[in-house]
Amino acid sequence: MIDNSPRGFEPERPQFRARVRKALTLGTAGVLAAAGVLSLAGSANAASTLGASAAAKGRYFGTAVAANHLGEAQYGSTLDTEFNAVTPENEMKWDAVEGTRNSFNYSSADQIVSHAQGKGMKVRGHTLVWYSQLPGWVGGLAAADLRTAMNNHITQVMTHYKGKIYAWDVVNEAFQDGSSGARRSSPFQDKLGNGYIEEAFRTARAADSGAKLCYNDYNTDGQNAKSNAVYNMVKDFKQHGVPIDCVGFQSHFNSNSPVPSDYQANLQRFADLGVDVQITELDIEGSGSAQATNYGNVVKACLAVSRCTGITVWGIPDKYSWRSSGTPLLFDNNYNKKPAYDAVLAALGGSTGGGTPGGGTGGATCTATYTRTDSWSDRYNGQVTVKAGSSAITGWSVPVTLTSPQKVSTTWNGTPSWDTSGNVMTMKPNGNGSLAAGASTTFGFTVMTNGSTATPSIGACTAS
């Protein structure tokens, strides 16, 4: 069975117990984001989503993705709207792709890669060599056979995805927790010795010279014995020509393991070795303004380090998190944006706000803000809230652009007209055009997806 956690912990292990984190007991002050807002009013704003805002800063903003959720309309819509990079949560791990020796199954991983490529997203490969989620046959091999199997696994998987993966977590979690700085016991460490990590990186470079090659670990976010051990390994690799391009910092935080005060400085010291640094599995337990502040500080730390090239959160809604009871993600169980989302967007230089006002006659203005209200397998309902500006209005007009082959099947509280393409619907009032200053009304519509769950683009509201 594939573990739904990002690391496949075994609860009986001392290492696991050392890493158990309790939910943050943080204050809940702060204003909650408006439920379900997926698109701001006015024409599309390149800085109104996480991915677009990060791209404007020269970074990516990604998320872990599970193939079995891609068919869920809100999951797919939020993924496609907000993120510009993905990491398969379990689908590329050894037990998923090579459960039986030399028999490779890429179907689930291919589904994620294909989806990402179709949306222009980067893909992080996760992970090639790791002590966990290994099929039983791997641990039973003698040293020489294990070396052959490791190198064959790296070569086969990387060759299959050659040219499609931006960066690979070549080796994952190879160091122990605690104060020793020692290597973690694993079939690779125990039978092949310290040299297996270098060998894995050299094999990976030979398999795909175009992909970034990364080492990835947890509890290395601040300077400590474990991060020092990783630092020394990376420094040695760079001095001796071992092909390592990046270091991943998982960044799982809560009250027992908070964002360290030297987080930025630690990222910087690794970057100073000549590698990129990436935040690879970010989640922060808690809620409200305290959680939001922590998320914002992590993003600001990355932006302050020129070689911090991207951030990945470990999941989309809280309900699919590996520690869902701690509500650690940017979207709640219903895909509503949390204060943490607003803090991240603000740190990236994006804007949330209530929409861009459109001008009309006599200086009258209005805004239009979109919310997805219901979703089914083949359709979803959208609602647009029209709000008058600082003076009363007697009419309004809002364009709604669909992504082909989507079609609107039903509308309410408005009178629609269509352009010749059939993709742009202009909605005008149906008895609800007169609004006092600051007052609002709504109209709605049902979109038949026809295979596309893309969010409509809401144009600027024009008032009269």
Side-chain angles (χ1 to χ4, degrees):
M1 179 185 297
I2 295 177
D3 195 314
N4 287 326
S5 81
R7 288 165 300 285
F9 298 140
E10 300 172 45
E12 68 274 12
R13 286 181 174 270
Q15 295 96 326
F16 175 82
R17 290 195 296 272
R19 295 180 61 190
V20 171
R21 303 176 173 97
K22 296 180 182 178
L24 285 167
T25 55
L26 300 174
T28 57
V31 180
L32 291 176
V37 174
L38 296 177
S39 173
L40 294 178
S43 57
N45 182 350
S48 65
T49 67
L50 301 173
S53 299
K57 299 288 189 181
R59 272 82 170 175
Y60 64 81
F61 201 96
T63 184
V65 171
N68 63 333
H69 296 320
L70 286 175
E72 182 183 331
Q74 283 185 291
Y75 187 95
S77 175
T78 307
L79 169 64
D80 296 348
T81 299
E82 292 290 346
F83 300 98
N84 59 0
V86 302
T87 302
E89 188 169 356
N90 287 293
E91 290 80 356
M92 286 184 178
K93 292 172 182 174
W94 198 316
D95 61 352
V97 298
E98 194 187 2
T100 302
R101 190 170 188 178
N102 287 322
S103 178
F104 291 85
N105 180 359
Y106 301 107
S107 58
S108 294
D110 282 354
Q111 185 181 354
I112 294 173
V113 172
S114 177
H115 183 97
Q117 286 191 305
K119 302 297 181 180
M121 300 174 178
K122 292 179 180 290
V123 182
R124 279 186 61 86
H126 178 76
T127 177
L128 294 167
V129 180
W130 185 33
Y131 74 93
S132 186
Q133 291 185 235
L134 279 175
W137 64 265
V138 178
L141 300 177
D145 211 10
L146 178 63
R147 172 173 281 108
T148 298
M150 180 185 78
N151 289 326
N152 180 66
H153 180 81
I154 294 169
T155 301
Q156 294 297 326
V157 176
M158 290 189 71
T159 298
H160 179 80
Y161 290 110
K162 188 172 184 177
K164 299 179 180 180
I165 304 295
Y166 161 72
W168 276 101
D169 290 329
V170 178
V171 177
N172 195 48
E173 300 177 359
F175 288 84
Q176 292 181 14
D177 289 319
S179 60
S180 70
R183 299 287 184 90
R184 180 191 298 277
S185 175
S186 72
F188 309 104
Q189 180 66 38
D190 298 346
K191 297 177 183 179
L192 304 181
N194 287 346
Y196 88 89
I197 301 180
E198 175 178 340
E199 184 169 354
F201 274 86
R202 293 192 183 279
T203 300
R205 178 66 87 224
D208 185 353
S209 61
K212 297 276 189 179
L213 306 182
C214 308
Y215 176 79
N216 190 54
D217 217 324
Y218 67 92
N219 284 355
T220 55
D221 308 294
Q223 188 165 337
N224 54 40
K226 187 174 184 180
S227 66
N228 288 342
V230 176
Y231 178 90
N232 290 333
M233 179 190 73
V234 175
K235 182 178 181 180
D236 177 73
F237 281 7
K238 295 300 288 185
Q239 290 174 341
H240 294 92
V242 180
I244 185 169
D245 304 305
C246 40
V247 177
F249 299 82
Q250 293 184 15
S251 299
H252 298 289
F253 299 124
N254 68 9
S255 56
N256 288 339
S257 181
V259 181
S261 60
D262 59 350
Y263 186 68
Q264 178 182 323
N266 190 53
L267 296 177
Q268 186 64 61
R269 71 166 177 152
F270 276 87
D272 290 343
L273 292 176
V275 293
D276 291 340
V277 294
Q278 298 160 351
I279 300 169
T280 55
E281 301 182 18
L282 177 64
D283 53 20
I284 305 176
E285 291 189 355
S287 62
S289 61
Q291 183 185 46
T293 297
N294 284 319
Y295 259 108
N297 287 341
V298 168
V299 174
K300 291 172 186 175
C302 177
L303 294 177
V305 178
S306 61
R307 294 200 69 155
C308 184
T309 58
I311 299 170
T312 298
V313 289
W314 204 251
I316 301 176
D318 285 332
K319 64 183 177 181
Y320 294 143
S321 168
W322 65 289
R323 48 184 191 171
S324 58
S325 62
T327 61
L329 298 175
L330 301 179
F331 297 86
D332 69 16
N333 291 345
N334 296 314
Y335 296 91
N336 297 319
K337 298 170 182 175
K338 296 162 60 176
Y341 172 96
D342 295 335
V344 169
L345 190 63
L348 291 169
S351 175
T352 52
T356 302
T361 60
T365 62
C366 59
T367 60
T369 306
Y370 171 75
T371 304
R372 181 175 295 197
T373 57
D374 294 290
S375 295
W376 299 270
S377 61
D378 61 344
R379 65 197 187 281
Y380 62 83
N381 286 348
Q383 176 177 286
V384 174
T385 300
V386 177
K387 183 176 181 179
S390 58
S391 60
I393 64 175
T394 57
W396 48 262
S397 175
V398 179
V400 178
T401 303
L402 304 177
T403 300
S404 180
Q406 293 178 340
K407 294 295 180 184
V408 168
S409 63
T410 308
T411 66
W412 54 93
N413 293 349
T415 302
S417 61
W418 296 88
D419 73 345
T420 55
S421 71
N423 296 324
V424 181
M425 174 181 70
T426 300
M427 188 69 81
K428 294 184 178 181
N430 181 11
N432 55 344
S434 295
L435 298 173
S440 63
T441 186
T442 64
F443 67 85
F445 47 89
T446 299
V447 176
M448 304 305 296
T449 60
N450 295 319
S452 171
T453 60
T455 298
S457 173
I458 310 301
C461 181
T462 301
S464 58

